[in-house]
Amino acid sequence: MIDAVWTALTDPALLHPAQLSLQIALITLGLHAVFGTLLAWALAQPSWPGRTLLDALVTVPLVLPPIALGFFLLILLGRRSPLGQWLDQSVGLSFVFSVEGVLLASFVAGLPLVVKPTEAAIAGISKTLGEASRTLGRGEIDTFLFVILPNIRGTLVAGLVLGTARSLGEVGITLMLGGNIIGKTNTVSLEVYNAVFNGDYARAAVLSALLGLVALAVLAVIRRSGRPAI
């Protein structure tokens, strides 16, 4: 058993998936922090044109099977689609079978876990402290930055950690959009898939256990972020 663990962890073929997974996770965390917070703030505002559509688009990854969502993104952004052709020809950006595709899959998969709880927290704070801040003459930007954000810090941190952890475990969207190209777009989660597909259950077990340890660390961070400051 120990030999199997050591062999799996010291396999040079694991270096690229581990580096790619870490790189994608860090970039996803930054994107979630910026766009997740802004989307949560927008959706927490009272009814405005397009809000229902935006809310539906953000929530889709929670209700649609990942493999189906990956297929729709592949159709939307594929090289034969109008949008995919425009992105490729105008800015040289291709999401199909590329690291950019893996990043997009990671971002989309974890986004609802950041936006939805943060949206609820912003809506609650905005009705109390937000209204008090506006009554005292603070503008919307000042109210958001110096009143609302500090008071939803715990919820935001928990959402960011959950969203990043979800992106680390993403397989379905990544498989359809980014592909499973060894040495290019294969993440640690895809390495588990590859190991099972090849009948190497010992390797799959070790990598799954490794992802399980990451999940436990995520849980510890969430519990920590939910504790009141002393």
Side-chain angles (χ1 to χ4, degrees):
M1 179 62 181
I2 296 179
D3 290 340
V5 173
W6 179 253
T7 299
L9 293 180
T10 57
D11 185 356
L14 184 60
L15 182 60
H16 177 269
Q19 289 178 337
L20 179 62
S21 296
L22 179 59
Q23 178 185 7
I24 293 296
L26 291 176
I27 298 175
T28 299
L29 177 61
L31 292 175
H32 280 167
V34 176
F35 292 102
T37 304
L38 292 176
L39 285 170
W41 176 83
L43 291 174
Q45 304 311 305
S47 299
W48 46 270
R51 183 191 178 281
T52 301
L53 176 60
L54 179 61
D55 189 31
L57 291 175
V58 169
T59 310
V60 157
L62 289 178
V63 297
L64 195 66
I67 199 73
L69 180 57
F71 172 73
F72 287 130
L73 288 174
L74 180 63
I75 296 299
L76 178 65
L77 300 171
R79 294 183 178 91
R80 296 183 179 180
S81 71
L83 180 57
Q85 289 180 355
W86 179 82
L87 287 172
D88 191 18
Q89 295 172 3
S90 300
V91 295
L93 182 60
S94 176
F95 288 103
V96 178
F97 303 146
S98 65
V99 174
E100 289 79 7
V102 177
L103 178 59
L104 179 60
S106 175
F107 174 74
V108 169
L111 187 62
L113 298 177
V114 179
V115 173
K116 301 310 291 184
T118 307
E119 174 195 346
I122 290 176
I125 292 295
S126 186
K127 291 178 180 178
T128 54
L129 297 179
E131 290 181 0
S133 174
R134 297 182 191 96
T135 300
L136 293 174
R138 281 182 176 268
E140 286 295 331
I141 296 179
D142 282 350
T143 298
F144 179 68
L145 292 177
F146 301 110
V147 177
I148 294 178
L149 272 184
N151 283 280
I152 63 165
R153 181 175 62 251
T155 301
L156 180 58
V157 169
L160 289 172
V161 174
L162 268 179
T164 304
R166 171 65 184 85
S167 68
L168 277 173
E170 168 52 37
V171 172
I173 306 175
T174 306
L175 195 60
M176 290 297 293
L177 190 61
N180 186 15
I181 306 173
I182 303 301
K184 183 178 180 182
T185 63
N186 57 318
T187 61
V188 174
S189 295
L190 284 176
E191 279 301 294
V192 175
Y193 171 85
N194 293 334
V196 173
F197 186 80
N198 293 325
D200 191 350
Y201 295 109
R203 178 182 174 85
V206 171
L207 296 181
S208 296
L210 182 62
L211 291 175
L213 291 175
V214 173
L216 290 176
V218 167
L219 179 60
V221 171
I222 293 174
R223 290 175 64 89
R224 179 74 177 179
S225 67
R227 294 178 183 175
I230 298 177

